[in-house]
Amino acid sequence: MKNLFFAILISALLLLMFSCVESSDFDTPKENCNTDLKANISFVELDSLSTEEVTQIKDSLILEGYVISSDKAGNFFSTLFIQDKPSKPTYGLQLEVDIRQSHLLYPEGGKVFLKLKDLYMVNKEGNIRLGSAFSSFGNLSIGRLPNQKVFEHVFAACDDHEIVEPLLTTISALDTLPLNILVQLDGLEVVDDELGEPFAMATEETERHLHDCEENELVLLNSGYADFQAEILPEGNGSITGILVKDGKNPQLIIRSLEDIDFTNERCPEIITEFTSTQIFITELADPDNNSGARFVELYNSATEPLDLNKWTLRRYTNDGTEVSSTIDLSGLIIGAESTLVISPNAEEFQLVYGFAPDLGVSTNSPADSNGDDNLELVDPFGTVIDVFGIVGEDGSNTNHEFEDGRAVRNTNIIEGNPIYSFSEWTLFNDTGDAGTIKLPQNAPQDFTPGVKY
């Protein structure tokens, strides 16, 4: 009978306990909630008090804010992120705490009051951090607030819970926003190189990379202990919500769970940057008689829009050579609308002589370093010759394509490239050129016009 009585009693207690819990997400405990506290300092005022040096707060200050982080999925560890308002936030901070399952005590959207007295604070590049302090080699750093101290400083507002609305933004605008706030970005996707990879390597904090359709990039920071660590990164495109942080000057995003990602749209269309155009061509070649270090090649874009030179090349055939002797890769350069692009084999000397830096500095013995008897080709990404100077296989000396100790400049009526050299398109200065050229050596800087429309 006694055993039966104890069995019935235990069953009743278990039934009572589980009948009070609707799910694994327990209600916020009320022991640490408070209805009497009232904020007497704002985030703006706290920011004005903070410095790059770790300092202890001595005054009885109370700050009010809203929790935006959650350690439920394991992607946050011992840190509460708190922002000033549930929507359109203007400030946020990190509070280092030595507690686990903090989402049960301080759930997302919950209003909290922070008793700041005796906490330590630091503000580096807009990142406000609060916590305890520890010393390392004589320098103070912010550390986790011990478990029991948390309940002396962090109080949930009883029955006060808001739906936190993320601030809608873009990658290019992230540098203008405060840190430690909840943001949402649309039109993002995982970069191609990381498709098929898990969110994080086991037990390792892992950076993954997102970009938008303009190829602006953002780091997604994931914990190797998150419960979604081994999940494969999504393949689609869409919206993502997370907390904005920084590593140095580089923005990063931390999600709270996989529910923060909705990549169900089609991925961005492939961006084609390789193109061909006859509106990019050679306009000036320089071999100054008085200074070989002031040589250069000038290109011109006669189009009314900027053009990307991705995979374009400038090739040189030395003297009468029929094999390419050197090449300049123009990838990464954009030539402006109706603008020039100047390439120098000696950027330092070029700037000293002409008073400004070239658009591109390259090496000696390159296509920009011709001594006036070589031949050049401008080639598009598909291998098509768009423009030439000289005749490949013919040494330029004593010909109508010699600019030794001089200059070759494109005539002003030419508005596009020509894959076949035509002497009538050029005016040439040299020391020993053929009839029709001007036998008058040119000196730098006065006889040259780099960067000026021909």
Side-chain angles (χ1 to χ4, degrees):
M1 287 296 291
K2 183 181 293 186
N3 290 340
L4 179 61
F5 171 76
F6 279 116
I8 294 172
L9 179 60
I10 290 171
S11 298
L13 290 172
L14 289 173
L15 180 62
L16 178 62
M17 181 175 68
F18 285 107
S19 67
C20 295
V21 180
E22 295 181 359
S23 69
S24 59
D25 297 329
F26 299 98
D27 292 335
T28 304
K30 301 301 180 184
E31 292 81 358
N32 203 47
C33 76
N34 194 299
T35 58
D36 299 325
L37 292 175
K38 186 176 181 181
N40 59 11
I41 188 173
S42 67
F43 276 73
V44 176
E45 293 166 330
L46 181 65
D47 178 65
S48 68
L49 296 177
S50 61
T51 69
E52 292 188 355
E53 300 295 327
V54 175
T55 56
Q56 188 175 30
I57 301 171
K58 300 293 187 179
D59 297 324
S60 298
L61 303 176
I62 298 175
L63 183 72
E64 174 185 305
Y66 292 84
V67 176
I68 55 172
S69 59
S70 171
D71 60 1
K72 182 179 179 181
N75 208 33
F76 291 88
F77 178 74
S78 297
T79 303
L80 290 176
F81 286 81
I82 300 168
Q83 67 184 35
D84 59 346
K85 295 180 289 187
S87 62
K88 298 181 180 178
T90 56
Y91 277 91
L93 60 79
Q94 298 180 34
L95 176 64
E96 310 296 330
V97 292
D98 189 19
I99 57 173
R100 308 294 184 270
Q101 300 295 299
S102 63
H103 68 280
L104 298 177
L105 296 165
Y106 310 108
E108 294 174 37
K111 180 193 284 188
V112 292
F113 294 99
L114 304 182
K115 285 188 174 182
L116 301 178
K117 186 176 181 181
D118 295 330
L119 292 182
Y120 287 83
M121 173 175 61
V122 70
N123 184 346
K124 292 188 176 180
E125 297 183 347
N127 182 20
I128 302 175
R129 296 176 60 210
L130 298 173
S132 62
F134 68 91
S135 179
S136 177
F137 300 103
N139 297 315
L140 280 181
S141 299
I142 296 294
R144 298 175 197 158
L145 200 59
N147 185 290
Q148 291 306 313
K149 289 290 183 180
V150 173
F151 304 108
E152 297 176 13
H153 291 276
V154 189
F155 298 86
C158 303
D159 301 317
D160 196 340
H161 188 279
E162 298 282 348
I163 296 176
V164 175
E165 297 179 7
L167 184 67
L168 187 61
T169 187
T170 62
I171 293 178
S172 57
L174 290 178
D175 283 333
T176 68
L177 299 180
L179 299 180
N180 307 318
I181 64 170
L182 192 68
V183 298
Q184 177 184 324
L185 299 96
D186 295 335
L188 267 58
E189 63 189 32
V190 177
V191 298
D192 292 347
D193 291 346
E194 294 178 6
L195 290 175
E197 296 289 336
F199 274 83
M201 305 304 294
T203 73
E204 295 180 15
E205 186 176 73
T206 305
E207 292 185 359
R208 296 304 186 195
H209 298 83
L210 310 172
H211 65 195
D212 57 23
C213 291
E214 286 72 48
E215 296 194 335
N216 298 304
E217 197 164 288
L218 172 65
V219 169
L220 179 66
L221 191 63
N222 301 312
S223 170
Y225 295 94
D227 61 11
F228 54 82
Q229 166 265 317
E231 296 287 334
I232 301 301
L233 293 162
E235 294 187 358
N237 178 292
S239 67
I240 183 168
T241 298
I243 296 175
L244 176 63
V245 297
K246 268 188 179 180
D247 178 19
K249 294 185 178 180
N250 301 314
Q252 297 181 328
L253 201 66
I254 309 176
I255 60 173
R256 298 160 298 180
S257 70
L258 292 186
E259 294 179 1
D260 280 334
I261 301 179
D262 182 18
F263 285 3
T264 54
N265 300 327
E266 294 291 325
R267 289 178 65 83
C268 299
E270 184 180 359
I271 296 177
I272 305 298
T273 58
E274 296 84 34
F275 71 97
T276 188
S277 172
T278 59
Q279 292 181 286
I280 301 175
F281 51 100
I282 304 166
T283 49
E284 188 172 3
L285 301 168
D287 178 37
D289 182 46
N290 63 329
N291 187 347
S292 62
R295 292 170 178 166
F296 65 85
V297 173
E298 178 188 86
L299 305 181
Y300 183 72
N301 172 21
S302 63
T304 56
E305 66 277 348
L307 297 176
D308 191 328
L309 296 179
N310 186 35
K311 296 187 179 179
W312 283 67
T313 56
L314 190 64
R315 304 195 299 213
R316 170 180 167 179
Y317 297 81
T318 300
N319 300 332
D320 60 355
T322 57
E323 300 291 332
V324 175
S325 57
S326 60
T327 300
I328 297 173
D329 183 0
L330 301 174
S331 296
L333 297 172
I334 294 176
I335 185 168
E338 299 179 340
S339 298
T340 61
L341 188 143
V342 180
I343 306 169
S344 165
N346 189 331
E348 184 177 352
E349 182 68 15
F350 181 96
Q351 185 161 6
L352 287 173
V353 172
Y354 298 106
F356 66 96
D359 298 292
L360 178 65
V362 293
S363 65
T364 56
N365 298 317
S366 68
D369 195 30
S370 173
N371 65 351
D373 56 4
D374 305 313
N375 306 297
L376 279 75
E377 291 179 336
L378 180 64
V379 184
D380 74 7
F382 311 104
T384 302
V385 176
I386 299 300
D387 195 29
V388 301
F389 175 83
I391 300 171
V392 174
E394 180 179 284
D395 190 303
S397 300
N398 304 309
T399 70
N400 66 1
H401 56 94
E402 178 192 333
F403 63 99
E404 183 176 336
D405 295 331
R407 175 190 188 211
V409 62
R410 208 68 172 256
N411 296 333
T412 56
N413 63 313
I414 304 304
I415 60 172
E416 63 180 3
N418 187 348
I420 300 174
Y421 177 70
S422 174
F423 173 63
S424 64
E425 296 183 1
W426 296 85
T427 299
L428 286 94
F429 300 82
N430 52 48
D431 55 1
T432 59
D434 197 4
T437 65
I438 302 172
K439 297 180 179 63
L440 180 64
Q442 303 287 283
N443 292 317
Q446 63 268 26
D447 294 331
F448 298 88
T449 58
V452 178
K453 183 179 179 181
Y454 59 101

